[in-house]
Amino acid sequence: MEISSKYNPKITEERLYNFWQDNGFFHSEPDERPSYTIVIPPPNVTGVLHMGHMLNNTIQDILIRKARMSGYNACWVPGTDHASIATEAKVVKRLKDQGIEKTDLTREEFLEHAWDWTHEHGGKILEQLKKLGASCDWERTKFTLDEDLSKSVTKVFIDLYKKGKIYRGYRMVNWDPEAKTNISDEEVIYKEQKGKLYYVKYQIEGTEEFFNVATTRPETIFGDTAICVNPKDDRFKHLIGKTVIVPVVGRKIPIIADEYVDMEFGTGALKITPAHDIHDYEIGQKYNLEIIDILDDDAKLNHHGMHYAGKDRFIVRKEFAKELDSVGALLKVEDYDNKVGTSERTGAVIEPKLSVQWYLSMKELADKALKSVADNEVKLHPDKFRNTWNHWLENVHDWNISRQLWWGHRIPAYFYGEDLNDFVVAETKEEALDLAKEKTGNQSLTLEDLKQDEDALDTWFSSWLWPISVFDGINKPNNEEINYYYPTKDLVTGPDIMFFWVARMVMAGYEYRNEEPFSNVYFTGIVRDKLRRKMSKSLGNSPDPIELMTKYGADGVRVGLMLASSAGNDLLFDEDLCLQGRNFANKIWNAFRLVHGWEVAETEETQAAKDANLWFEAKFNKTLADMDNNYEQFRISDALMSLYKLIWDDFCSWYLEAIKPEYQKPISAKTQAQAIAFLEDLIKLLHPFMPFLTEEIWQNIKEREVKDALIITDYPKAKSFDESVLTKFENATEVVSAIRTIRKDKNIPNKDAVKLFTENNSDFYASIVEKLGNLSELNLSDAKPENVQTFRVGTQEFHVPLEGLIDAEAEKEKLQAEKEYLQGFLKSVQKKLSNERFVANAPENVVAMERKKESDAIEKIALIDEQLKALG
């Protein structure tokens, strides 16, 4: 079989991916084998591949391929998320570009545009994952708006409502004026911003006195309904109960007292705007204050803003501050740094807003999720995230699950009146009508009298069911697939969605299956550049994954990502790591070509080959045991690094050098067969990391049937090994390395054989030293000839005679110069150690380091003296 001189991923990857897919290697059906299931964290349906996806899905593919080879019925379920806010925002923008406003369309018309957008741009990311080598069961691809998944969401909403866990409430919410929807507390990102603190003068009614109040948001003065002071504040006790006049607005509002007020902040008094601050709202409720909402859904002032109506809140802030100044109501303005809530999705500054929304009671659900991690039913990797998990769940708030959007799962609530509780919850409008008649006793109600809630559910309300709903476990709780594949095994995701998604899936798992949804959660880090900046389009520091794979091959990029990654720690990505990955692929390919290309004969194995085979088998099993341990602890990068060293250093360097035949001579057939067997075992271990390269080598080693493809070949199992074999070979490599160093230092050509003298000690493989050190003689005795270069391995001395190999006088000059340098260095170290103050006051480890420098220098000088003596 003709083997290409170079590995070419461009012509290999698509062919092999089609081979795997066409032969059904990715597909899973329930059978007698144990299941191993991963559900993909569903990316946004219209998203494109970025470096975070690359890392996450590389890890998932490593785990699923290893499981597939380890005898499990491996099932990796792919799919996408409808991403309500992100997708709707893109559709609205496109419509605007076409001169169409969302408000000009009916819900049905808008959804037609949204589905068009989804069909046009959706699924691209899944096709891109195929280039990475992702071995997902594509026949199982799901979308969170699929009919069966949508039905699951509706069923769960109705079930939780019937259990009393879902309710409607009039509360302060986080309003995103760009997306025009409320968002949950977890979707608010607080950012440090430089702002201003405005000191505003409120005139005390019936006097010429003024009351000073500090605010960061003067535009909300239009909604002020009280001034609040601390009842313990002696400065203001005499003013409690009096009235002030809101500047410009002219409204008269009371001065009230509450211990909530911080006497040290600003002037010690707060303006109370119940419609636009959660704490103000609570005080307003407590003292029955009027609620004046001054903003519309775009965060522009409404009619309460008087002559500023229709203007943006931030424009009004500046203009109103000027007006306050012009009427003498602005005392002063100070620079002020504060944390401002922003929308995770749009980046818009969040506006607190009072609204009726749907909520899911979380306490009982959260307690089960807390217990699952405490009892290790769900294990977090790395374990450091346990504290974060506990803190959030112990302080959980009820989940605001409604969104003012059209794209998504519509809330299955039907209204028949204007009151807050004039509604029923049902799967269909027909069922809702029956329930409404029963609830009201009004048999004359018709379908036309019912109006379904306009809001959609939070996207996470569908994805929290993902491990169950992809197997239709909500609609058919006892079907064969849910009983076989659930609980899934491992989840790979980012810690940034620990609460949005991971914790809620655990809650749903216990609520609807009474068991955990997965056994392990592996948290990846954030992909950053070499300067530790998060990768983003705006910074221009995020490479195109497809371009990277085109340049370095999918395997090269996979290895590059994993070399930079460790569980839970941020990944400092450097494109040079992909180059390292590609070089690794070439190294393995060349090793394969070398072994495969040797001329073979039925000859006796050399002793060096026998010893090398014995050593490499032990080394392989030790590395495999280390890898198994790293896999168990989700130290996947460490597992790769162990294998990388085994292949690059041990197999390609020491092993192949030890067994390779002499120039233009054949190799023993037995030796070559063993080398190929080792290579096959190595590429089995490497397959999860570098699937394309390894399958290509596997298919090129010999003709194989489809059923013998590497992707489904048995993964090796670690066997016991003799540590002394590893020690003997390691000692031999140290001896060889020392000989090579002498050759380099003394300019002795590699082709010139040298002699080696040492005491009779069998703690190294003589055959390896003789071959790789190019020895003409290995003298195992106490004899020590004249004019030698001496070195030690452990406590054993070795001597290389230099007679006839070097210029003795030049060597003596070189050694003398080195000795003089070391004597000067030793003198400076001993001077430091003779200083009693230094020894008494310096840290213990620093003194110990100096003493080691002293002993090392003395030992080196003694060795040079021996060498000078030997040179005569």
Side-chain angles (χ1 to χ4, degrees), residues 35 77 180 210 217 247 308 397 400 419 482 499 517 544 562 578 601 684 688 765 808 817:
S35 67
V77 181
K180 292 185 182 58
F210 288 87
R217 303 184 64 199
Y308 294 102
H397 299 291
N400 176 347
D419 190 73
I482 191 69
F499 313 123
D544 181 339
M562 294 313 299
C578 296
K684 287 175 189 175
Y765 284 116

Side-chain angles (χ1 to χ4, degrees), residues 360-379:
L360 172 58
S361 178
M362 296 292 277
K363 181 70 174 72
E364 187 182 329
L365 293 168
D367 285 345
K368 291 178 182 177
L370 267 169
K371 188 174 185 300
S372 70
V373 169
D375 295 347
N376 281 324
E377 289 177 357
V378 174
K379 298 183 185 71

